[in-house]
Amino acid sequence: MRICRAKHKNEVFYGVIEGDSVLRIAGGPFDKPEYEGSIYSLSDVRLLAPCEPSKIVAVGKNYSAHAAEMNEGQPEEPLLFIKPGTSVIGSGDTVIYPAISKRVDYEGELGIVIGKKCRYVKEKEFASVVLGYTCLNDVTARDIQKSVSQWTRGKGFDTFCPLGPWIETDIEPGRLNIETRLNKETRQSSNTSYMTHSPGKLIAYISRTMTLLPGDVIATGTPEGIGPMQIGDIVEVEIEGIGTLVNKITSEIMPG
Ligand code: MG
């Protein structure tokens, strides 16, 4: 099932995508969907980020070929950091290039969307707390990230977590092709099977530390091929069985 969050006129709602239609559901997507009756054409709604995470728990250096290209070793345990909920945008929204950065990179990643409040999840039982999977771009101001030991500022700007275009509930996350394209040119091409720490291991590890809430997202790390984007570029993250997340880069307009 494909779950989306959509806007039609001034109404925002969750829906299930079937073909070219969006079937509106009553309430949230975290219980068995109750169809509310309204059906919209996909072209008549604007898709929003498919969930509203209280936090995005991201994993650094989870593909060995990416750790190698950064000239960094791989930590034995998952390396975690948090992106704020305010960094989330949807497919079709614009990533704002901060005026205070000189290098802003794409990082195409598989996003895991949590479906249930959970803690102390066993690795083997991870699927029971997952709603589904989406495409994610862990946008990073690389110069700012590298200038300090904490990554919050370099990875926490508004618009630095494109998510979408929807949540796919019926796939296994372990062997999916993942590709990032910049202006239609392929820059990252890998497979989720190359992750060092699997989705199950990540959920067990993260939920040993903190409660995960419905709609929270885990950014599972990026494969090799990261690189800079420029204002005006179009970046796409495509994951097999899910879809394609598309965003344009625009310049920052300061208030006043
Ligand atoms: Mg990343």
Side-chain angles (χ1 to χ4, degrees):
M1 186 185 292
R2 272 186 182 168
I3 294 171
C4 69
R5 226 172 106 244
K7 186 169 184 181
H8 180 262
K9 295 184 176 156
N10 281 322
E11 294 184 313
V12 172
F13 50 88
Y14 285 93
V16 172
I17 298 176
E18 282 182 10
D20 291 330
S21 299
V22 177
L23 286 64
R24 182 166 171 168
I25 56 180
F30 303 107
D31 304 309
K32 195 173 184 305
E34 266 186 49
Y35 293 103
E36 175 261 17
S38 312
I39 300 175
Y40 306 82
S41 164
L42 196 50
S43 57
D44 284 345
V45 301
R46 184 171 148 229
L47 292 183
L48 306 175
C51 57
E52 298 180 282
S54 77
K55 56 188 171 293
I56 299 102
V57 186
V59 185
K61 299 183 229 173
N62 199 28
Y63 288 76
S64 60
H66 169 60
E69 77 179 344
M70 302 301 280
N71 296 312
E72 290 166 11
Q74 250 191 321
E76 222 161 89
E77 295 198 354
L79 171 64
L80 304 183
F81 61 96
I82 300 266
K83 286 170 87 83
T86 42
S87 63
V88 170
I89 57 171
S91 191
D93 292 337
T94 52
V95 173
I96 297 168
Y97 196 119
I100 51 173
S101 175
K102 290 195 163 45
R103 175 159 169 166
V104 175
D105 285 5
Y106 55 81
E107 292 190 0
E109 308 194 4
L110 174 73
I112 305 172
V113 181
I114 297 296
K116 255 186 211 163
K117 182 177 178 179
C118 59
R119 233 202 125 186
Y120 304 110
V121 179
K122 293 191 175 79
E123 182 177 339
K124 277 189 194 153
E125 293 167 9
F126 80 94
S128 68
V129 305
V130 171
L131 174 65
Y133 299 88
T134 192
C135 309
L136 185 151
N137 191 342
D138 175 19
V139 178
T140 303
R142 195 69 70 195
D143 49 351
I144 293 173
Q145 180 200 19
K146 286 188 169 170
S147 69
V148 279
S149 64
Q150 298 290 324
W151 296 359
T152 303
R153 189 163 165 256
K155 286 177 174 276
F157 284 92
D158 283 6
T159 75
F160 269 27
C161 194
L163 273 185
W166 42 67
I167 300 163
E168 177 59 61
T169 62
D170 298 325
I171 47 169
E172 297 293 327
R175 194 167 294 277
L176 303 172
N177 288 321
I178 175 165
E179 186 167 294
T180 306
R181 293 183 290 272
L182 194 64
N183 303 323
K184 301 277 176 198
E185 200 176 283
T186 301
R187 296 296 177 92
Q188 294 185 289
S189 181
S190 186
N191 190 283
T192 58
S193 60
Y194 294 118
M195 277 184 204
T196 302
H197 305 293
S198 66
K201 185 161 176 211
L202 293 175
I203 289 172
Y205 187 84
I206 294 163
S207 69
R208 186 71 178 78
T209 302
M210 67 188 86
T211 300
L212 292 168
L213 298 176
D216 280 355
V217 171
I218 298 172
T220 55
T222 199
E224 72 278 17
I226 59 106
M229 303 182 289
Q230 309 301 334
I231 290 161
D233 284 352
I234 307 252
V235 62
E236 297 172 86
V237 178
E238 180 172 8
I239 301 178
E240 181 184 4
I242 302 176
T244 307
L245 169 68
V246 187
N247 299 96
K248 187 172 181 176
I249 318 306
T250 57
S251 54
E252 184 175 26
I253 299 164
M254 306 289 286

